C-alpha cells in the first residue's frame, strides 16, 4: 500500500478499528505505548480504537486493580494481533476511542501522525516516524521535543491557557511512539539539530491541524461554558429582576435571542474574553502583589468592564440597569469570580435593556 510516510518501505494495513504499520527491517522505537513502551526494536506498530464497536469487547476499562488491567489489556491486544496477523515484536497503542483519523504532516525525514478526540478530557496520540537510524540518546531527545511541541500547539490553540484545562489531567491512555528506521552507534550533532527542528515544526503543525478539525479554536460560547456560564443561565438571571411587566415565555425568548445577537458583536466578545483571561490570571495569582480573592472594594476595573458591555449593547440606560444586576447578582452571576460577575451582569443588563426599548 502506497503511503505518504517518510520511510519508503513502510507498509500499512487498516480496517475500521485497527491501523498496523510494519516493515521488513522493523523499527527502533521509544515511547509510552500500551505495549512495547520504553526503547526497543519492533517489527510492527499497531494503533487500535475500541469505542462504538458493533461487537462486545473482551476488554473494558473496569474498576479493577493494576495487575488485572494490565492482564486484560494484553489479552485483548493479543487477540487483535492474532486476528490481524501482526508480526511480533510489537508496539501498540490502545485507544479508548474509535476515531482513528490521523492528521499528518510530512517532510523528507519526519512524518507526524496525530489522532485527537476532545471529550471531557483531551485525548491525543502521536506517532512520529523518522527516516534515519538513531541512537538511544537521540531518540530520547526527539521524544522530549515531541512532547514540548505538542504542548506548544495546545498553547497556540488556546487549550492549555485556560481554566478548564490542566496539562497534568490528560487521559491516562494518551500515547506517543517515536519510530526510526533502526539503531545507530552515534548520530552527528548537526543531524540531531536538523531532526529536532523538523520535529518541532511537524508535530506542532500536526497537533494544530488535528485540533482544528475537532472543535478548536473555540467560539465565545465554548469559552463561556469553560467558566460555567451558558445562555440559559443568563436568561434565568435576567428574568429574576424583571419588574413592571409580567414574566412571560415571550420575554424570556426575546432575551435569549438578544443574548445570542449580542454575542455576535466583536466588542462584546472582546470584553468577555478579556474578562475570562483576567479572571484566570487573578485566580491563579499570576500577577505579583495582586490578590483579589475577596473582591476588594478598591477593585473597580471589573465594574468598568461590566458597564462597558452594557453600554455597548444598549447605551447609557443599560449602565443604570447594570448596577441593579451587579448589586443583586441573580442566578449564575452570584457564582462567578470578581471580574466575570460584572462582565456577565453587564451582558444581561444590556440585553434586558435592549429588549424593552420602545
Amino acid at each position: 500500500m502506497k503511503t505518504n510516510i517518510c520511510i519508503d518501505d513502510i507498509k500499512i494495513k487498516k480496517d475500521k478499528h485497527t491501523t498496523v504499520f510494519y516493515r521488513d527491517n522493523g523499527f527502533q522505537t521509544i515511547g509510552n505505548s500500551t505495549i512495547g513502551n520504553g526503547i526497543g526494536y519492533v517489527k510492527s506498530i499497531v494503533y487500535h480504537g475500541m469505542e462504538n464497536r458493533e461487537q462486545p469487547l473482551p476488554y473494558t476499562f473496569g474498576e479493577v486493580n493494576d495487575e488485572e488491567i494490565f492482564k486484560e489489556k494484553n489479552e485483548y491486544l493479543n487477540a487483535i494481533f492474532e486476528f490481524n496477523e501482526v508480526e511480533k515484536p510489537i508496539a501498540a497503542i490502545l485507544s479508548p476511542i474509535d476515531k482513528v483519523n490521523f492528521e499528518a504532516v510530512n517532510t523528507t525525514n519526519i512524518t507526524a501522525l496525530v489522532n485527537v478526540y476532545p471529550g471531557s478530557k483531551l485525548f491525543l496520540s502521536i506517532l512520529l516516524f523518522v527516516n534515519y537510524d538513531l541512537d538511544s540518546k537521540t531518540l530520547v531527545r526527539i521524544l522530549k521535543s515531541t512532547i514540548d511541541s505538542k504542548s506548544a500547539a495546545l498553547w497556540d490553540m488556546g487549550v492549555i491557557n485556560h481554566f478548564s484545562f490542566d496539562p497534568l489531567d490528560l487521559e491516562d491512555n494518551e500515547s506517543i511512539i517515536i519510530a526510526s528506521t533502526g539503531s545507530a552507534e552515534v548520530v552527528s550533532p548537526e543531524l540531531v539539530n536538523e531532526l529536532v527542528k523538523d520535529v518541532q515544526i511537524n508535530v506542532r503543525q500536526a497537533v494544530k491541524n488535528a485540533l482544528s478539525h475537532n472543535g478548536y479554536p473555540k467560539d465565545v460560547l465554548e469559552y463561556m461554558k469553560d467558566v460555567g456560564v451558558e445562555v440559559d443561565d443568563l436568561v434565568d438571571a435576567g428574568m429574576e429582576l424583571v419588574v413592571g411587566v409580567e414574566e412571560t415565555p415571550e420575554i424570556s425568548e426575546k432575551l435569549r435571542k438578544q443574548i445570542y445577537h449580542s454575542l455576535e458583536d466583536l466588542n462584546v466578545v472582546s470584553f468577555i474574553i478579556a474578562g475570562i483571561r483576567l479572571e484566570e490570571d487573578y485566580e491563579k495569582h499570576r500577577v505579583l502583589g495582586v490578590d483579589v480573592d475577596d473582591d476588594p472594594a478598591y477593585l473597580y476595573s471589573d465594574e468598568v468592564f461590566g458597564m462597558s458591555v452594557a453600554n455597548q449593547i444598549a447605551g447609557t440606560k443599560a449602565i443604570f440597569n447594570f448596577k441593579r444586576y451587579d448589586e443583586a447578582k441573580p442566578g449564575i452571576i452570584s457564582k462567578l469570580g470578581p471580574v466575570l460577575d460584572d462582565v456577565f451582569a453587564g451582558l444581561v443588563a444590556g440585553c434586558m435593556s435592549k429588549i424593552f426599548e420602545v
Side-chain angles (χ1 to χ4, degrees):
M1 177 180 179
K2 186 177 180 180
T3 74
N4 292 321
I5 292 176
C6 62
I7 302 174
D8 291 337
D9 59 350
I10 197 171
K11 304 177 182 68
I12 297 179
K13 291 193 301 184
K14 183 176 182 179
D15 63 21
K16 186 176 180 181
H17 306 289
T18 308
T19 303
V20 181
F21 305 87
Y22 63 101
R23 62 192 294 261
D24 293 339
N25 293 325
F27 308 90
Q28 186 77 4
T29 63
I30 185 173
N32 62 338
S33 51
T34 310
I35 287 180
N37 54 20
I39 296 178
Y41 168 81
V42 302
K43 291 284 285 187
S44 308
I45 298 171
V46 179
Y47 189 99
H48 178 74
M50 56 175 287
E51 190 181 69
N52 298 325
R53 295 174 60 99
E54 293 86 356
Q55 301 299 323
L57 294 169
Y59 169 74
T60 59
F61 290 88
E63 294 184 2
V64 292
N65 62 44
D66 290 343
E67 184 177 346
E68 290 172 325
I69 289 176
F70 180 80
K71 182 179 179 181
E72 283 192 19
K73 281 184 178 180
N74 278 270
E75 288 177 351
Y76 176 65
L77 282 172
N78 282 328
I80 297 299
F81 301 155
E82 183 176 347
F83 177 78
N84 288 279
E85 299 180 341
V86 181
E87 190 171 353
K88 298 179 180 181
I90 299 167
I93 294 174
L94 176 60
S95 166
I97 52 99
D98 197 25
K99 187 176 183 180
V100 187
N101 293 319
F102 291 109
E103 290 292 332
V105 173
N106 190 62
T107 58
T108 303
N109 299 317
I110 299 288
T111 298
L113 301 176
V114 176
N115 190 40
V116 62
Y117 178 83
S120 57
K121 297 179 182 178
L122 190 69
F123 177 90
L124 186 152
S125 291
I126 299 173
L127 298 178
L128 185 77
F129 294 94
V130 183
N131 193 26
Y132 277 100
D133 293 350
L134 302 178
D135 58 22
S136 58
K137 183 178 179 180
T138 303
L139 280 170
V140 170
R141 185 170 176 189
I142 288 179
L143 175 61
K144 180 182 182 302
S145 181
T146 299
I147 295 169
D148 292 344
S149 301
K150 178 199 74 173
S151 298
L154 296 180
W155 180 271
D156 289 341
M157 300 296 282
V159 178
I160 63 176
N161 184 29
H162 207 54
F163 284 104
S164 64
F165 183 85
D166 184 341
L168 298 180
D169 193 28
L170 291 171
E171 296 282 358
D172 290 340
N173 301 281
E174 181 178 63
S175 297
I176 295 174
I177 295 178
I178 312 297
S180 68
T181 52
S183 61
E185 291 295 325
V186 66
V187 179
S188 71
E190 293 79 14
L191 178 57
V192 173
N193 290 335
E194 178 186 339
L195 292 175
V196 166
K197 183 178 180 180
D198 283 349
V199 167
Q200 292 170 344
I201 294 171
N202 289 17
V203 171
R204 191 171 190 169
Q205 189 59 54
V207 172
K208 289 169 67 174
N209 290 350
L211 289 171
S212 70
H213 294 151
N214 287 275
Y216 295 92
K218 298 178 288 189
D219 62 18
V220 66
L221 291 170
E222 290 298 321
Y223 277 103
M224 288 165 53
K225 287 180 183 179
D226 286 345
V227 296
V229 178
E230 300 199 37
V231 171
D232 285 346
D233 300 323
L234 298 175
V235 171
D236 292 341
M239 295 301 291
E240 282 191 32
L241 298 190
V242 170
V243 294
V245 296
E246 181 183 356
E247 293 184 34
T248 64
E250 289 76 19
I251 293 176
S252 178
E253 186 58 27
K254 282 184 179 180
L255 176 57
R256 185 187 315 279
K257 289 181 179 179
Q258 181 58 50
I259 290 172
Y260 278 116
H261 180 69
S262 296
L263 291 175
E264 296 175 356
D265 184 327
L266 174 61
N267 294 291
V268 172
V269 170
S270 296
F271 282 121
I272 290 174
I273 297 300
I276 289 173
R277 298 297 191 199
L278 183 59
E279 187 84 81
E280 180 182 7
D281 285 343
Y282 283 168
E283 182 183 272
K284 296 183 182 298
H285 301 99
R286 290 173 176 160
V287 183
L288 183 64
V290 175
D291 186 344
V292 297
D293 289 349
D294 297 327
D295 197 1
Y298 55 81
L299 176 69
Y300 60 83
S301 57
D302 54 339
E303 295 195 1
V304 174
F305 268 47
M307 288 188 288
S308 298
V309 173
N311 183 66
Q312 175 66 23
I313 296 170
T316 305
K317 61 182 175 297
I319 295 177
F320 292 97
N321 203 20
F322 161 73
K323 294 302 295 179
R324 294 178 61 237
Y325 281 92
D326 182 35
E327 291 172 3
K329 299 190 187 304
I332 187 64
I333 296 172
S334 67
K335 300 176 182 178
L336 301 175
V339 177
L340 290 181
D341 63 349
D342 290 299
V343 170
F344 287 109
L347 177 62
V348 172
C351 291
M352 288 298 294
S353 299
K354 192 71 174 177
I355 67 173
F356 284 110
E357 284 184 343
V358 177

